[in-house]
Amino acid sequence: MKYLNSKEECMSYDELRALQSRRLCEQVRRSYERVECFRRRMDEKGLRPGDIRGVEDLHLLPFSYKKDLRDYYPYGLFAVPMKDVVRLHASSGTTGKRIVVGYTRNDLDMWGECVARMMAGLGVTAEDIVQVSFGYGLFTGGFGAHSGAERLGATVIPISSGNTANQIQTMVDFGATVLCCTPSYAMYLGEEAERMGVQDQLRLRIGIFGAEPWSENMRRKIEEKLGLRAYDIYGLSEVLGPGVACECSEQAGMHVWEDHFIAETINPDTGEVLPEGEVGELVFTSLTKEAFPVIRYRTRDICRLIREDCPCGRTHVRMSKPSGRTDDMLIIRGVNVFPSQIEEVLLRVSGNRITPNYQIVLDRVNNTDTFDVNVEMSEAFFSDNVRAIEALERNITEQLRSTLGIGAKVHLVNPKTIVRSEGKARRVVDNRSGKM
Ligand code: DLL
């Protein structure tokens, strides 16, 4: 119970700002002394650590980018000697060199604390049995969820992802009450549990899902299939891993732990800071991380910050579900398209006639982009009624054209034919590279 609404979680706005200001000044001073890239950028702006007197001066600081992690690969941005680094994680991303992040013992403690707080806020206790089906390894998901659950005193099943039938049997046999994994894997586990006929033997009550975008519709479907309440958890390797932000019992935005991180939203084109409440690119500054501090790190995730009081009593700002990334924009026949726009149309038009499984496939034929959207029909809608299927395909095609301004070929495919993912779902298959 120690974690439920701890003192830090309920500080007044002024107390939080004062704490952030103290920690920010210290973080800037340390980073300036120890991280060459940051020092150079400060020098270029003619800034000294002493010029930053508190949160009100945050906007003066230079941004940092994913590219910095690649340029200084592997350890060039660390602020402590390697003897103090006790853990490394890495993320490969879809393109380019992977990135590496490091943690001191204190960093791991802070990480565990952040995850434990959010689990406690959702009602996880020492009585719970937590199945961690996020991948363990260089990906932060498995170890991140693990440390939080263990810190709470819950019983952890460190099963990692994959081997789906065995996952479900384990869930049943060990009486798992909490499940942590990506939402697409949760959906898959739900389908498989149904297929195995063991849905009513599951004891799950809480699901903690994240690492990829997912819609409210998907939340409802997962809740229905697994018989639990599903909560969104957000994070990124560069800033910590899972646990930077998480929903509370209200399921209405994810609290960002402001005693450890400052969140800003900016206009991604101009870098201008936006008032809280406006949609923009999310930027994080870490306040307590030792091995790998980040200052004004551009996440590329698009969301808005919510400063209103939350009925749960926590005072920390909330972020909305990311609606996309500034860099997942597709350019199809010259038109800018975000996968989230396609998902929104699919859900609006089709309701329960489709499942949340879809895939966008791009190719180039005769110097022209081809744009196909494969969408899986639900078991309930799937039938021999070819006319109903064609009518839905036409309807989706028309709505996509009016929303996106370009035509797509929509294919309704049979249930369970789109490849399931054990980690993050692959929504876009882009085969165009090298076919200019
Ligand atoms: O995905 C860390 C994580 C693990 C978060 C487990 C939550 C649960 P990366 O692999 O570095 O780290 O990917 C980070 O994933 O910038 C977002 O674009 C996306 N992402 C993470 N959580 C969410 C979420 C982990 N809840 C990138 N909703 C981030 C939408 C998310 N997108």
Side-chain angles (χ1 to χ4, degrees):
M1 280 301 152
K2 170 179 170 264
Y3 291 101
L4 250 188
N5 284 354
S6 66
K7 181 173 127 279
E8 288 80 8
E9 287 167 71
C10 303
M11 278 179 162
S12 72
Y13 180 70
D14 290 343
E15 280 172 329
L16 260 179
R17 293 273 292 192
L19 179 68
Q20 287 184 328
S21 288
R22 267 201 317 280
R23 290 183 167 173
L24 176 67
C25 295
E26 173 59 19
Q27 184 80 295
V28 167
R29 192 189 54 71
R30 273 186 78 247
S31 298
Y32 188 84
E33 279 166 11
R34 299 176 182 204
V35 184
E36 191 256 330
C37 169
F38 179 66
R39 184 166 52 247
R40 192 170 37 75
R41 291 212 176 124
M42 289 280 281
D43 289 346
E44 278 164 13
K45 283 184 150 241
L47 279 173
R48 290 281 171 277
D51 297 330
I52 306 301
R53 287 150 307 163
V55 186
E56 64 282 7
D57 295 327
L58 182 67
H59 67 281
L60 300 173
L61 290 166
F63 289 120
S64 55
Y65 306 86
K66 188 159 211 152
K67 184 173 180 304
D68 301 336
L69 281 92
R70 301 213 164 101
D71 292 349
Y72 286 83
Y73 179 86
Y75 306 140
L77 298 174
F78 287 9
V80 296
M82 284 310 284
K83 75 173 173 46
D84 295 335
V85 174
V86 298
R87 172 95 68 79
L88 296 173
H89 280 285
S91 150
S92 54
T94 43
T95 51
K97 222 171 11 180
R98 65 180 172 179
I99 56 154
V100 180
V101 292
Y103 305 76
T104 63
R105 201 166 291 285
N106 286 338
D107 292 337
L108 290 184
D109 263 1
M110 182 273 277
W111 188 8
E113 166 75 22
C114 285
V115 177
R117 265 188 203 177
M118 46 191 61
M119 286 187 166
L122 301 177
V124 181
T125 69
E127 308 285 326
D128 277 297
I129 300 180
V130 181
Q131 180 148 333
V132 179
S133 306
F134 279 121
Y136 280 66
L138 290 177
F139 176 57
T140 51
F143 280 96
H146 184 117
S147 65
E150 216 169 62
R151 210 179 164 91
L152 269 183
T155 308
V156 182
I157 310 172
I159 193 165
S160 196
S161 60
N163 202 349
T164 304
N166 179 46
Q167 290 269 352
I168 291 161
Q169 201 56 55
T170 308
M171 238 183 267
V172 170
D173 293 350
F174 295 2
T177 53
V178 179
L179 174 66
C180 306
C181 62
T182 59
S184 47
Y185 196 44
M187 192 66 205
Y188 183 26
L189 287 167
E191 287 171 354
E192 283 301 291
E194 202 168 39
R195 197 186 55 77
M196 290 163 67
V198 297
Q199 263 176 320
D200 57 355
Q201 295 172 45
L202 295 175
R203 291 184 50 210
L204 294 172
R205 54 186 202 94
I206 294 173
I208 302 175
F209 306 128
E212 63 182 359
W214 53 309
S215 59
E216 286 301 325
N217 186 54
M218 185 136 165
R219 179 187 333 245
R220 279 192 299 277
K221 293 206 160 136
I222 296 173
E223 289 187 333
E224 208 176 277
K225 281 204 185 312
L226 290 172
L228 44 67
R229 255 171 88 82
Y231 299 96
D232 199 357
I233 181 169
Y234 169 90
L236 60 167
S237 322
E238 300 90 303
V239 176
L240 190 71
V244 176
C246 182
E247 284 181 338
C248 58
S249 49
E250 301 298 315
Q251 294 179 318
M254 296 180 269
H255 290 280
V256 176
W257 297 130
E258 290 189 279
D259 49 338
H260 295 294
F261 306 100
I262 304 179
E264 303 169 271
T265 36
I266 62 160
N267 175 327
D269 299 323
T270 62
E272 173 210 356
V273 179
L274 298 173
E276 285 179 344
E278 279 188 29
V279 174
E281 180 183 339
L282 186 60
V283 171
F284 279 112
T285 299
S286 70
L287 295 172
T288 50
K289 265 181 9 140
E290 294 176 341
F292 183 68
V294 287
I295 292 187
R296 302 199 83 202
Y297 182 73
R298 306 264 308 242
T299 64
R300 304 276 172 209
D301 291 318
I302 301 164
C303 73
R304 71 186 182 90
L305 296 174
I306 307 160
R307 179 62 72 183
E308 293 135 39
D309 289 347
C310 182
C312 80
R314 288 175 187 77
T315 49
H316 296 226
V317 75
R318 281 169 286 163
M319 58 178 272
S320 63
K321 270 179 179 296
S323 58
R325 290 179 54 83
T326 57
D327 56 1
D328 71 4
M329 188 179 77
L330 301 163
I331 303 183
I332 309 174
R333 292 178 221 132
V335 177
N336 298 346
V337 174
F338 285 94
S340 56
Q341 290 175 293
I342 298 176
E343 178 162 346
E344 196 271 320
V345 169
L346 292 177
L347 296 175
R348 182 159 44 83
V349 178
S350 319
N352 278 336
R353 291 177 290 178
I354 60 163
T355 72
N357 299 299
Y358 71 96
Q359 202 160 47
I360 300 159
V361 183
L362 302 172
D363 210 331
R364 186 161 286 140
V365 178
N366 298 331
N367 284 328
T368 307
D369 291 336
T370 60
F371 174 21
D372 292 75
V373 181
N374 300 326
V375 191
E376 217 178 72
M377 285 177 274
S378 63
E379 299 276 2
F381 180 65
F382 177 56
S383 73
D384 293 337
N385 189 342
V386 178
R387 284 175 59 189
I389 293 173
E390 284 176 356
L392 181 57
E393 277 176 347
R394 269 198 309 279
N395 195 358
I396 299 175
T397 308
E398 277 159 27
Q399 293 295 324
L400 279 178
R401 183 186 294 282
S402 83
T403 304
L404 308 175
I406 52 166
K409 278 207 191 103
V410 175
H411 313 273
L412 288 176
V413 299
N414 293 357
K416 312 240 163 76
T417 48
I418 291 184
V419 179
R420 302 296 192 261
S421 150
E422 293 167 355
K424 303 193 190 214
R426 190 173 174 215
R427 299 285 188 212
V428 181
V429 179
D430 194 343
N431 298 320
R432 293 176 299 178
S433 65
K435 295 186 184 166
M436 292 302 281

